[in-house]
Amino acid sequence: MSDSPLYSCDRVWINARLATMDTAVPALYGALDDHVIGVRSGKIAAIEPMERVAIDRLNGTVIDAGGAWITPGLIDCHTHTVYGGNRAKEIEMRLCGASYEDIARQGGGILATVRATRALDEEQLRRASLPRLRALAAEGVTTVEIKSGYGLTLADELKMLRVARRIADDAPVRISTTLLAAHTVPWEYAGRPDDYIELVCNQIIPAAAAKHLVDAVDLFCERIAFSPEQCARVFAAAQNHGLRVKAHAEQLSNQGGARLAARFSALSADHLEYLDQSGVDALAASGTVAVLLPGAFYFLREPQKPPVDLLRAAGVPIAVASDLNPGTSPLASLRLMLNMACTLFGLTPEESLAGATRHAAQALGLAENLGTLAVGKEADFLVWDIEHPAELACEFGVPRLRQRVFQGRDATV
Ligand code: DI6
Ligand code: FE
């Protein structure tokens, strides 16, 4: 007993109920009642049942959780948090009958945000984006993926990535950055999408990789964006620079983007409303995570849901993320996404929480260090004033976060 790492921890939470979300723990939510979790040097160093612990021998600070639930920190694995301006006018246009695709074809949509983002310098862009990051973090998000994709020139994409990397200097959140230069064709390349893809492959990807500004490369495979052939060139360039890939796929139509992503062993394929069985099979075979984005589905009032039953049957890991962006999901709340993943897509509360923890970590290639409560992982976790973890997906808008722990330290936002 005395040589348990628990006795050399810096901080120990006793009388806790752990929703470990670890598949090695057979109960729903990987739940462990009456447990102790200990932290040392920012990592989870011990998880033990209460009955095996000699409380008086603990050396670190002891925190009595009083039976409260502890979950892993939430992970938002798909966001466009960094951008300038807003697109509130487009919701009026859409409610008067224009579709998202109509607005994009008229030079609005993503390009409207490109204009607003290019106009800001780094400090202005950081200040515009920080309130959104803080909103996510205040709810319990401890890791956020942030994409570029509103710059669409070499300089503006790198500017976005630098802001994304730096934005967390003021906030206790981990950031994972993704290059999304292949988001849409900028006006300088109107009618010449292949020339723009060449710029992405030959200049933007190499520069972002050389400057260590990106963790992965994403793209938009869609009628209003890039074809599977063009996307394949981007993926190949990313892999030549040692970068993992992911895709916005099957959001508005079925282009076979998920199959393509699977062929390149993508970390994730995201959206997937129009995914078919062949796409599901491809994701299952490649171990690619299906990232569902109920905020965009809801905000665009999409007519078709992603094929959750097929994904489940094939054993594809399902993540849930906010897609926080000005056009299709101006909703800075991962808790709201958990709720909508259940009400709109039919996930169970346990599946939705796994989608914002274990599977979200996998979608970022960070499953070794994040996403579950397990010895050796980063000590990012949340103590909640709830009776049952299902409340996290059920109730919305009431602050139930008692303690937000980031790298082992208290980190309120
Ligand atoms: N799909 C989306 O939902 C976001 N990007 C994408 O490719 C929306 C981006 C936007 O409308 O600004
Ligand atoms: Fe997106």
Side-chain angles (χ1 to χ4, degrees):
M1 191 202 277
S2 57
D3 32 276
S4 161
L6 202 55
Y7 299 100
S8 51
C9 280
D10 311 323
R11 306 179 82 194
V12 180
W13 282 255
I14 62 167
N15 291 316
R17 283 196 276 181
L18 307 179
T20 66
M21 305 312 289
D22 187 345
T23 51
V25 180
L28 203 59
Y29 298 95
L32 296 171
D33 278 346
D34 277 327
H35 266 66
V36 168
I37 182 166
V39 165
R40 187 178 172 178
S41 307
K43 302 256 199 290
I44 298 172
I47 292 177
E48 303 268 357
M50 271 299 280
E51 76 225 20
R52 293 234 305 265
V53 180
I55 304 284
D56 55 339
R57 307 240 320 267
L58 293 172
N59 288 307
T61 308
V62 176
I63 299 141
D64 189 347
W69 281 97
I70 299 183
T71 68
L74 303 181
I75 299 173
D76 196 344
C77 68
H78 180 144
T79 88
H80 309 249
T81 303
V82 170
Y83 61 82
N86 76 76
R87 305 240 292 280
K89 272 193 202 133
E90 288 181 13
I91 192 170
E92 302 208 287
M93 293 168 75
R94 283 197 287 109
L95 290 171
C96 292
S99 73
Y100 180 69
E101 291 188 71
D102 294 336
I103 295 167
R105 289 207 175 86
Q106 290 161 24
I110 293 170
L111 289 179
T113 301
V114 171
R115 252 174 251 120
T117 303
R118 285 187 186 175
L120 301 183
D121 67 25
E122 278 184 43
E123 184 49 30
Q124 291 168 327
L125 191 52
R126 195 186 67 87
R127 266 190 272 125
S129 307
L130 193 54
R132 294 187 279 268
L133 183 75
R134 284 193 191 285
L136 292 174
E139 264 194 333
V141 173
T142 49
T143 300
V144 179
E145 184 257 20
I146 301 179
K147 301 176 194 296
S148 66
Y150 293 122
L152 311 187
T153 65
L154 174 62
D156 289 297
E157 285 292 301
L158 297 183
K159 174 180 80 177
M160 285 192 74
L161 292 170
R162 279 195 299 270
V163 170
R165 279 270 201 251
R166 211 161 60 81
I167 189 170
D169 291 354
D170 290 346
V173 192
R174 273 167 225 288
I175 304 290
S176 176
T177 58
T178 301
L179 179 71
L180 178 58
H183 199 187
T184 195
V185 181
W187 50 88
E188 296 89 351
Y189 286 84
R192 297 186 295 131
D194 288 310
D195 292 349
Y196 180 63
I197 289 293
E198 205 172 295
L199 175 78
V200 172
C201 294
N202 297 343
Q203 291 189 42
I204 303 183
I205 290 174
K211 293 176 194 296
H212 303 289
L213 284 171
V214 272
D215 302 308
V217 171
D218 195 353
L219 47 74
F220 191 17
C221 185
E222 193 52 70
R223 291 183 299 229
I224 53 168
F226 298 102
S227 69
E229 293 70 32
Q230 291 162 341
C231 292
R233 289 164 59 195
V234 174
F235 281 161
Q239 289 190 342
N240 281 340
H241 287 87
L243 293 167
R244 299 290 303 269
V245 300
K246 42 182 59 214
H248 285 67
E250 275 67 275
Q251 180 184 9
L252 307 169
S253 63
N254 186 351
Q255 301 291 311
R259 279 200 310 275
L260 178 77
R263 188 144 67 74
F264 284 87
S265 305
L267 286 167
S268 71
D270 304 37
H271 285 289
L272 305 177
E273 278 80 347
Y274 290 84
L275 185 70
D276 61 15
Q277 183 69 56
S278 71
V280 171
D281 294 342
L283 295 181
S286 62
T288 299
V289 177
V291 179
L292 305 187
L293 305 168
F297 170 85
Y298 153 83
F299 198 71
L300 292 181
R301 300 191 301 160
E302 282 290 328
Q304 185 162 324
K305 291 193 247 192
V308 168
D309 290 344
L310 301 182
L311 290 166
R312 259 193 208 120
V316 176
I318 299 174
V320 175
S322 71
D323 196 16
L324 173 55
N325 78 74
T328 68
S329 189
L331 308 166
S333 169
L334 193 54
R335 286 285 306 284
L336 177 59
M337 300 306 139
L338 298 187
N339 180 289
M340 293 202 291
C342 296
T343 55
L344 301 177
F345 292 166
L347 264 59
T348 67
E350 202 266 350
E351 286 174 320
S352 77
L353 188 58
T357 53
R358 184 174 75 244
H359 293 154
Q362 195 180 336
L364 297 179
L366 298 173
E368 243 177 71
N369 298 316
L370 297 173
T372 64
L373 300 179
V375 170
K377 290 207 177 182
E378 298 288 339
D380 293 359
F381 54 78
L382 311 168
V383 186
W384 298 96
D385 285 319
I386 55 174
E387 301 281 314
H388 191 277
E391 287 170 50
L392 299 176
C394 176
E395 187 183 57
F396 176 69
V398 186
R400 300 287 185 199
L401 187 56
R402 183 194 297 181
Q403 194 175 15
R404 184 180 182 281
V405 179
F406 180 71
Q407 298 177 329
R409 301 210 180 93
D410 288 4
T412 41
V413 181

